């Protein structure tokens, strides 16, 4: 039997590289399946959603193999796989989706009805998402391969652009989903809450959708400096000046056409000593978004947060000013991104040099053995997107 290693969650702030089982063509219940493939992982990224689990802010069990952002080469085919071929280099949407249920047929693959007995929606290596083994590993199994996998048309070209194309698995379509649902279009003024990788992907997406100006708010000076260096207007949320005042200084009025929450439930209130306040981003976005505007919410919110300071937030209950959003006729768009809905056009934008997402999110390649340190650095707020290279296959950057 071939060997395999992966990033294993062992408790709050503790991950290790361990020997794990080589993947089998079977589902999490041990039933043999023929519609899957086994991939040699070429790249797999550390995501902010992974970080929530590693911090102990979810009910993730110990022993989980982490990782839902996977790009890989097909090394084994199930007998029912017809269109994916041996040797294909593929991008793997983080959603596990059957392609057959009502929601998948409607392109809402983030809430597939058949891959998770506990709730709608499945994902690799994530809490409450069906038990599918994660891909921060050397090898991983992907089910429903003909539906889920997207082969790159030119393998050599894709390898040269892998730092960009690895973002197709999650953060780029997630940022794009947030921008689309916020109604970003030609000439829009846009505010993105959060200058982490998803926030930067949302900002990049707003620009290719035609935004006139994109502002990015954060409390981390390194991330704000990076946002400015790649062309966005930074807003420092530790300043005494309110968010409305800082926006007015840039666009002339204290409102925007579209707003995107790329922070989620571990948000902190504004100011130098901001305390955790899980609804603060949502409330601030209702304040600054124009009447009849939209708020895209790709930031993660959970049904259970054992580490929450507020008792209500432990079960996902937030102190929202929903009346304000109702009075302004806001539209709110939430939930897991249906990656397959966007990936072809985003792939083409990368391949034709319209979207240098690796530079925008500051992609930083590390080895599998360096993944635990990557988690620590990311947790400290490094202005980087860590890309794990399990087999040393990613070409050196120019």
């Amino acid at each position: 039997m071939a060997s395999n290693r992966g990033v294993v969650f062992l408790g709050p702030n503790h991950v290790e590289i361990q020997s794990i089982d080589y993947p089998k063509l079977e589902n999490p219940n041990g039933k043999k399946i023929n519609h899957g493939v086994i991939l040699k992982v070429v790249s797999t990224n550390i995501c902010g959603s992974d970080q929530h689990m590693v911090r102990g802010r979810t009910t993730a069990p110990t022993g989980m193999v982490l990782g839902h952002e996977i790009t890989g080469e097909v090394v084994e085919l199930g007998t029912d796989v017809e269109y994916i071929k041996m040797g294909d280099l593929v991008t793997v949407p983080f959603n596990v989706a059957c392609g057959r249920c009502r929601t998948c047929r409607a392109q809402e693959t983030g809430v597939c009805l058949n891959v998770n007995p506990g709730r709608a929606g499945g994902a690799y290596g994530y809490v409450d998402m069906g038990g599918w083994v994660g891909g921060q590993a050397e090898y991983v199994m992907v089910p429903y391969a003909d539906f889920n996998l997207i082969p790159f048309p030119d393998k050599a070209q894709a390898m040269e652009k892998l730092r960009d194309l690895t973002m197709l698995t999650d953060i780029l379509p997630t940022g794009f989903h947030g921008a689309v649902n916020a109604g970003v279009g030609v000439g829009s003024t846009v505010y993105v809450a959060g200058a982490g990788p998803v926030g930067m992907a949302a900002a990049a997406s707003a620009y290719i959708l035609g935004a006139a100006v994109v502002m990015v708010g954060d409390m981390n000076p390194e991330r704000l400096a990076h946002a400015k260096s790649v062309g966005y207007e930074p807003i420092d949320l530790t300043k005494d000046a309110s968010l409305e005042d800082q926006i007015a200084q840039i666009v002339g009025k204290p409102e925007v056409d579209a707003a995107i929450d790329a922070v989620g439930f571990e948000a902190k209130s504004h100011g130098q000593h901001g305390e955790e306040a899980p609804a603060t981003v949502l409330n601030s976005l209702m304040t600054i978004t124009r009447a009849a505007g939209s708020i895209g919410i790709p930031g993660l919110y959970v049904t259970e947060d054992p580490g929450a300071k507020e008792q209500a937030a432990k079960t996902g209950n937030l102190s929202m000013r929903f009346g304000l959003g109702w009075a302004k006729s806001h539209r709110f768009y939430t939930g897991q991104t249906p990656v397959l809905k966007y990936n072809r056009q985003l792939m083409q934008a990368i391949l034709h040099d319209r979207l240098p997402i690796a530079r925008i999110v500051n992609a930083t390649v590390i080895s599998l053995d360096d993944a635990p340190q990557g988690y620590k650095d990311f947790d400290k707020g490094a202005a980087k997107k860590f890309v794990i290279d399990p087999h040393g296959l990613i070409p050196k950057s120019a």
Side-chain angles (χ1 to χ4, degrees):
M1 178 66 69
S3 63
N4 193 19
R5 296 189 307 148
V7 180
V8 180
F9 172 64
L10 297 175
N13 300 308
H14 185 193
V15 298
E16 286 184 5
I17 309 304
Q18 294 187 351
S19 294
I20 60 174
D21 290 339
Y22 189 82
K24 299 177 182 178
L25 291 172
E26 60 183 36
N27 69 17
N29 294 322
K31 179 183 177 182
K32 181 174 175 58
I33 58 176
N34 296 313
H35 48 68
V37 301
I38 293 174
L39 300 180
K40 180 179 183 178
V41 178
V42 176
S43 67
T44 177
N45 315 325
I46 297 176
C47 180
S49 298
D50 297 321
Q51 204 73 58
H52 293 306
M53 290 190 293
V54 172
R55 290 190 190 113
R57 297 301 296 270
T58 73
T59 56
T62 58
M64 281 184 60
V65 181
L66 301 175
H68 55 273
E69 301 189 9
I70 307 161
T71 304
E73 180 184 14
V74 177
V75 295
E76 185 176 334
L77 291 167
T79 56
D80 289 346
V81 178
E82 295 185 65
Y83 306 113
I84 298 297
K85 306 301 181 187
M86 284 287 290
D88 279 351
L89 182 66
V90 296
T91 181
V92 185
F94 79 87
N95 320 110
V96 181
C98 73
R100 302 162 185 176
C101 68
R102 176 180 180 176
T103 52
C104 283
R105 288 171 183 263
Q107 291 192 304
E108 296 296 341
T109 53
V111 280
C112 174
L113 303 176
N114 288 330
V115 296
N116 182 356
R119 63 173 68 172
Y124 304 92
Y126 208 82
V127 59
D128 295 332
M129 287 287 107
W132 301 92
V133 176
Q136 287 175 12
E138 294 172 332
Y139 297 90
V140 69
M141 193 279 292
V142 174
Y144 304 102
D146 281 325
F147 180 70
N148 285 304
L149 297 181
I150 305 171
F152 295 113
D154 183 319
K155 190 172 182 179
Q157 179 194 32
M159 285 301 298
E160 287 300 315
K161 290 183 174 289
L162 199 67
R163 282 174 168 78
D164 298 286
L165 294 170
T166 189
M167 306 306 165
L168 288 171
T169 58
D170 181 356
I171 66 162
L172 180 54
T174 293
F176 192 78
H177 185 59
V180 167
N181 286 334
V184 177
V186 174
S188 296
T189 57
V190 181
Y191 174 71
V192 179
V198 170
M200 297 301 290
S205 298
Y207 260 138
I208 65 171
L209 288 167
V213 59
V214 179
M215 296 160 279
V216 182
D218 207 290
M219 298 178 177
N220 181 315
E222 182 183 349
R223 288 183 169 180
L224 288 171
H226 178 68
K228 184 175 183 179
S229 75
V230 293
Y232 311 125
E233 295 284 349
I235 291 184
D236 187 348
L237 300 177
T238 66
K239 288 185 175 180
D240 292 333
S242 68
L243 175 60
E244 299 97 301
D245 287 344
Q246 292 192 65
I247 286 174
Q249 290 174 12
I250 296 169
V251 298
K253 59 169 62 176
E255 71 174 24
V256 295
D257 297 318
I260 303 165
D261 174 4
V263 177
F265 73 103
E266 286 195 69
K268 293 182 178 179
S269 58
H270 298 176
Q272 288 189 354
H273 306 290
E275 295 293 324
E276 189 168 300
T280 191
V281 170
L282 296 172
N283 289 332
S284 67
L285 297 191
M286 285 187 277
T287 301
I288 63 168
T289 302
R290 69 172 178 86
S294 297
I295 299 171
I297 310 172
L300 176 67
Y301 289 86
V302 294
T303 55
E304 293 183 79
D305 175 9
K309 294 183 178 181
E310 297 177 8
Q311 188 62 36
K314 291 181 185 294
T315 53
N317 290 291
L318 308 183
S319 301
M320 287 179 62
R321 283 191 71 194
F322 191 74
L324 175 61
W326 190 94
K328 295 175 76 173
S329 293
H330 283 158
R331 292 176 295 280
F332 299 82
Y333 293 89
T334 69
Q336 301 275 358
T337 297
V339 170
L340 277 172
K341 185 181 290 187
Y342 306 111
N343 262 18
R344 183 188 180 278
Q345 59 262 48
L346 293 173
M347 179 195 299
Q348 294 301 320
I350 289 171
L351 292 176
H352 294 281
D353 298 319
R354 292 292 304 279
L355 190 52
I357 189 65
R359 178 175 66 85
I360 291 167
V361 302
N362 196 16
T364 303
V365 178
I366 60 175
S367 69
L368 182 62
D369 289 321
D370 288 335
Q373 185 61 48
Y375 270 97
K376 292 177 182 178
D377 292 344
F378 192 36
D379 191 50
K380 293 175 183 176
K384 298 176 179 180
K385 174 67 172 178
F386 288 105
V387 177
I388 300 171
D389 181 2
H391 295 279
L393 297 173
I394 300 176
K396 303 297 182 185
S397 59

